[in-house]
Amino acid sequence: MSYAIVGFGKIGQALAHAFARKNIDVTVASRRPPEALTPQARAIGPTVVAKSLRDALEADTIILAVPFGEHREVAKALPSWKGKTVIDAMNALVPLEELDGLPSSAFVAKSFTGAKFVKGFNHLVAATLAADPVVEGGHRVVFLSSDDEDAIAPVAGLAKQLGFAPVKLGKFNEGGALVHARGRTWGQLIFQDLFKKKQ
Ligand SMILES: NC(=O)c1ccc[n+]([C@@H]2O[C@H](COP(=O)([O-])OP(=O)(O)OC[C@H]3O[C@@H](n4cnc5c(N)ncnc54)[C@H](OP(=O)(O)O)[C@@H]3O)[C@@H](O)[C@H]2O)c1
């Protein structure tokens, strides 16, 4: 598997720390040229490599860590998302009418036609997500949801590799609703920093 993080701000960098901690290669990209991101990527670790957005999107698995309103721009950068797994780490505090009444991840997934689309790594503040997820033998929980049950397993595998304990919530409008903002209200599991004894 190959991994890319699109968006190298607070959440993108937090996730890059998680990859670096486990020596897992990850590409990072934003709208800026890779040279602008390289010093920060290097500071995080040698497995974190800045590339152009186009080159980063060659990865099999792409984590979206851009402001919600930018997802369409990222989606447009590839003619087809078939064969890709996209992990939505974004949160959207926007009126439901702007999302056609859908959970934000179901709305975003429409722009990434053909991709396996999973919501995850979105419920913690960046500083928490950046910290070592193994504390006193317990593993920090990350919640995963998707309308495609088969898409979750490889993302759960990645979460485990990174040291987190993945918890599957099911479909976006079922368990996944707990990690979505709805209108101006956060889902009940957002900001809950939970640990499991076993991954
Ligand atoms: N901050 C948190 O604690 C937190 C917690 C959970 C979830 N989230 C979610 O994570 C996402 C990112 O939040 P953040 O706090 O990390 O934001 P941020 O610090 O502002 O970083 C956003 C990043 O996205 C890049 N970007 C913007 N538009 C882009 C585009 N069209 N293509 C490629 N890259 C683009 C920006 O870089 P350039 O300007 O160089 O393009 C920047 O690196 C948001 O959806 C937010 O809701 C944030």
Side-chain angles (χ1 to χ4, degrees):
M1 295 287 271
S2 52
Y3 302 103
I5 302 167
V6 176
F8 196 47
K10 291 182 277 300
I11 281 293
Q13 291 182 34
L15 285 163
H17 277 282
F19 280 84
R21 190 178 295 112
K22 298 292 186 179
N23 289 313
I24 302 171
D25 289 327
V26 66
T27 298
V28 296
S30 79
R31 290 170 297 194
R32 283 175 291 157
E35 303 78 60
L37 309 184
T38 291
Q40 185 57 23
R42 287 218 179 113
I44 293 174
T47 64
V48 182
V49 176
K51 289 194 181 170
S52 67
L53 179 61
R54 193 69 202 218
D55 288 348
L57 293 182
E58 286 179 10
D60 312 318
T61 300
I62 291 141
I63 306 178
L64 287 180
V66 297
F68 178 76
E70 291 294 325
H71 72 266
R72 284 192 198 83
E73 287 305 311
V74 179
K76 277 193 243 163
L78 272 189
S80 166
W81 287 85
K82 204 158 182 281
K84 304 283 187 188
T85 294
V86 176
I87 304 173
D88 178 9
M90 301 182 298
N91 285 318
L93 277 177
V94 296
L96 284 181
E97 313 80 88
E98 289 179 25
L99 302 174
D100 302 339
L102 294 169
S104 64
S105 290
F107 181 81
V108 173
K110 292 198 290 182
S111 298
F112 291 81
T113 315
K116 289 180 179 295
F117 201 89
V118 177
K119 189 174 190 75
F121 301 100
N122 67 296
H123 86 284
L124 296 168
V125 293
T128 305
L129 191 64
D132 191 340
V134 185
V135 178
E136 294 176 8
H139 296 263
R140 176 168 280 121
V141 167
V142 288
F143 297 108
L144 303 178
S145 52
S146 179
D147 285 346
D148 173 359
E149 295 284 321
D150 295 342
I152 295 188
V155 180
L158 169 65
K160 281 187 179 182
Q161 268 188 286
L162 297 175
F164 294 93
V167 172
K168 298 173 191 170
L169 297 178
K171 298 196 172 179
F172 295 138
N173 66 356
E174 295 172 0
L178 298 169
V179 286
H180 272 85
R182 189 160 175 81
R184 297 269 165 205
T185 313
W186 294 112
Q188 293 90 331
L189 289 177
I190 293 187
F191 306 127
Q192 297 291 335
D193 189 17
L194 308 179
F195 287 80
K196 269 181 83 178
K197 281 284 179 206
K198 288 185 183 159
Q199 276 186 302

